[in-house]
Amino acid sequence: MERVNQIWQHAEYQRCLRKIQELEAERKFCRHTPEHFLDVARITWLLSLEAGMLLEKELVYGAALLHDIGRHLQYEQGIPHEEASAQIAEGILQDCGFDEEEIEEILKAIRMHRQSQKTQNFSGLLYRADKLSRSCFCCPAEAECNWPQEKKNLEIIF
């Protein structure tokens, strides 16, 4: 997981993370925190194991750490965060030693993590994990949340 730790320590990653934390400091709904990123990574990994997929762990964790890293640009400039995240992620992944094929696979998963998918591929698993990572069943703001009721996680699944 050396390259994953390089992502975490990357100056641009940390700058974007601090910006997201500042912008979401007063947010009462789900925040985009390191805990969320790691929950998404771990759930994606579990889903891949359950599906019998042989995904590389560093790709799973890399995509999960980076999937929302452009969220601040959505707040500040209206850029969809999946696109902003992919743009930011590309340079970070290059700096951290991922090859072009790995980068393309991660960027595709990041770009598609908001599109509903039932497919058993990396993008589909990241999408599902992102949604499953939310603990609506114990959220104090659940009643005010604008997520459709059928999407809310009202029971422990992962």
Side-chain angles (χ1 to χ4, degrees), residues 1-112:
M1 298 281 281
E2 182 179 330
R3 296 182 297 175
V4 171
N5 282 295
Q6 288 177 16
I7 292 170
W8 174 255
Q9 296 165 5
H10 195 280
E12 179 64 4
Y13 183 86
Q14 287 297 317
R15 184 191 72 74
C16 293
L17 184 58
R18 280 191 304 277
K19 192 72 174 162
I20 294 166
Q21 290 170 332
E22 289 170 15
L23 292 167
E24 291 187 345
E26 301 301 319
R27 183 180 165 116
K28 63 180 170 182
F29 301 109
C30 297
R31 293 184 183 155
H32 300 88
T33 63
E35 293 82 7
H36 168 64
F37 301 154
L38 289 172
D39 286 346
V40 172
R42 292 171 180 139
I43 294 170
T44 303
W45 183 248
L46 289 171
L47 291 171
S48 74
L49 294 175
E50 286 181 354
M53 296 174 65
L54 300 175
L55 296 177
E56 188 178 332
K57 197 177 218 180
E58 282 193 315
L59 298 186
V60 169
Y61 275 74
L65 282 177
L66 293 161
H67 81 283
D68 282 336
I69 203 62
R71 186 57 93 151
H72 65 288
L73 294 175
Q74 181 169 327
Y75 296 140
E76 296 173 327
Q77 300 175 25
I79 300 170
H81 79 268
E82 65 274 19
E83 284 305 317
S85 296
Q87 290 170 12
I88 294 165
E90 186 169 10
I92 293 172
L93 291 166
Q94 288 169 347
D95 290 349
C96 295
F98 289 83
D99 67 37
E100 287 304 313
E101 186 176 312
E102 293 171 322
I103 291 170
E104 284 308 311
E105 191 171 353
I106 291 171
L107 295 181
K108 179 180 177 185
I110 290 171
R111 284 187 182 105
M112 297 185 70

